[in-house]
Amino acid sequence: SNPHIRNKEDTRSIMLDVIIALCPALIMSVIRFGFRALISVLVSVVSAMFFEWLYRKLMHKTQTLGDLSAAVTGVLLAFVCPVTLPYWMLIVGNFFAIFLVKQLYGGIGKNFLNPALAGRAFLTAAYAGYMTVWAVPSVLSGSVDAATMATPLSYLYAGQPLPEYMGLGSIFLGGIPGCIGEISTLAVLIGGIWLLARKVITWRIPVTFIGSVAVLCLIFGHEGYGRIDWMLLNVCSGGLMLGAFFMATDYSTSPVTLKGQLVFGLGCGVLTVLIRYFGSYPEGVSYAILIMNCCTWGVDKLTRPRQFGVSAEDAKNAKAAKKAAKKQAKEGAANG
């Protein structure tokens, strides 16, 4: 019923803004890793869109390629994979992300897990050896006599000091090994600011996510590092920025209530730190977001605002009456 709010935004325009926001990170990855990074992203996007088309064709459903959501999934999946990953593995990852995680549950808006992160988790479980090989970026090619090397997080959580060429400045600007879309904190931040400015996302999830990681790392610290340095290195390393701005804010898999978004971001941050400190894998962003995706329904239920014009006592009485009616109906069915 009225009143209605009319808005020119639709799914396609939102997804287009996300693609634009991802461009700075893509450009940086091409500069650092060469055109293989671009080819990986293109292969991932094409395969994601193909599998979306194929599923809906087989199920005789209306095609949804025009909303660009599959293209965004393809970009994000490539962004959270190493540039050395064989192209066929990207195709397999997109099959899992689109067929099993997104479309099997009804398509966009009905999936309960982030498709790109679920695809990454599947690839990590199935092809761990390939998902943990990190190419040396061009800026370090003269400093390192090797084709691959460890990421900053690997050094941090092994208790080893970072090499001189992996300082905070290199991490911030994109002079480190890592996944295609995660190497430059600056590039991801530019994209995140674009999404905030365009009001595609709100500040609640990114700020609470990044802020909770920063506060916890500042409190607990790590032997061999100053607390400030340790905190900054954790915030800028790995997939925290990309996850906070582009993954955790996914409409389908994050809470809709305002308080729920704060709880969701906090939960992602706490889980990330716990996995990084106590897990066997130095990065925890992907799994933290996936775990919180599974909790979204509960967070929304617990943080649902009270109906306007209804007192707390009335709401309590209505809930009790509903529960009693449901119990009575069950007893009646049993007796009948």
Side-chain angles (χ1 to χ4, degrees), residues 112-113 253-255 260 263-264 271 288-302:
F112 71 95
L113 293 176
T253 58
S254 61
V263 173
F264 184 86
L271 287 172
I289 295 174
L290 289 173
I291 291 170
M292 289 306 298
N293 285 163
C294 297
C295 301
T296 294
W297 68 273
V299 173
D300 266 334
K301 185 175 181 180
L302 292 174

Side-chain angles (χ1 to χ4, degrees), residues 50-203:
F50 170 75
F51 288 129
E52 174 134 333
W53 171 84
L54 180 61
Y55 183 94
R56 301 194 73 83
K57 182 74 173 178
L58 293 174
M59 295 295 107
H60 304 288
K61 295 185 177 183
T62 305
Q63 289 296 334
T64 55
L65 288 178
D67 64 20
L68 298 179
S69 61
V72 170
T73 297
V75 175
L76 289 175
L77 179 57
F79 268 29
V80 293
C81 292
V83 71
T84 54
L85 191 71
Y87 300 135
W88 68 267
M89 288 187 186
L90 278 172
I91 296 173
V92 171
N94 276 291
F95 171 81
F96 184 86
I98 298 297
F99 252 69
L100 303 181
V101 179
K102 182 184 178 185
Q103 291 298 335
L104 193 62
Y105 288 93
I108 185 171
K110 298 178 182 179
N111 52 289
F112 71 95
L113 293 176
N114 182 284
L117 288 182
R120 183 188 193 277
F122 170 77
L123 289 175
T124 301
Y127 311 108
Y130 290 91
M131 288 293 289
T132 54
V133 175
W134 314 105
V136 177
S138 59
V139 71
L140 296 179
S141 58
S143 306
V144 180
D145 186 21
T148 61
M149 63 188 303
T151 64
L153 276 179
S154 299
Y155 283 103
L156 293 177
Y157 286 90
Q160 301 172 356
L162 283 174
E164 293 182 2
Y165 46 76
M166 279 193 189
L168 188 59
S170 296
I171 294 173
F172 187 76
L173 296 176
I176 57 169
C179 294
I180 291 175
E182 299 175 353
I183 60 170
S184 174
T185 302
L186 177 61
V188 177
L189 271 176
I190 292 172
I193 291 170
W194 172 265
L195 293 181
L196 290 169
R198 294 284 295 171
K199 297 183 179 180
V200 174
I201 64 174
T202 65
W203 61 269

Side-chain angles (χ1 to χ4, degrees), residues 8-56:
K8 294 181 179 179
E9 286 188 348
D10 56 12
T11 303
R12 180 184 176 86
S13 66
I14 292 172
M15 294 301 166
L16 187 59
D17 272 326
V18 175
I19 292 173
I20 293 171
L22 290 167
C23 284
L26 176 59
I27 293 170
M28 183 59 71
S29 69
V30 174
I31 292 173
R32 298 306 192 197
F33 294 127
F35 281 101
R36 182 180 173 85
L38 179 60
I39 296 172
S40 295
V41 172
L42 291 176
V43 168
S44 186
V45 169
V46 171
S47 60
M49 296 186 75
F50 170 75
F51 288 129
E52 174 134 333
W53 171 84
L54 180 61
Y55 183 94
R56 301 194 73 83

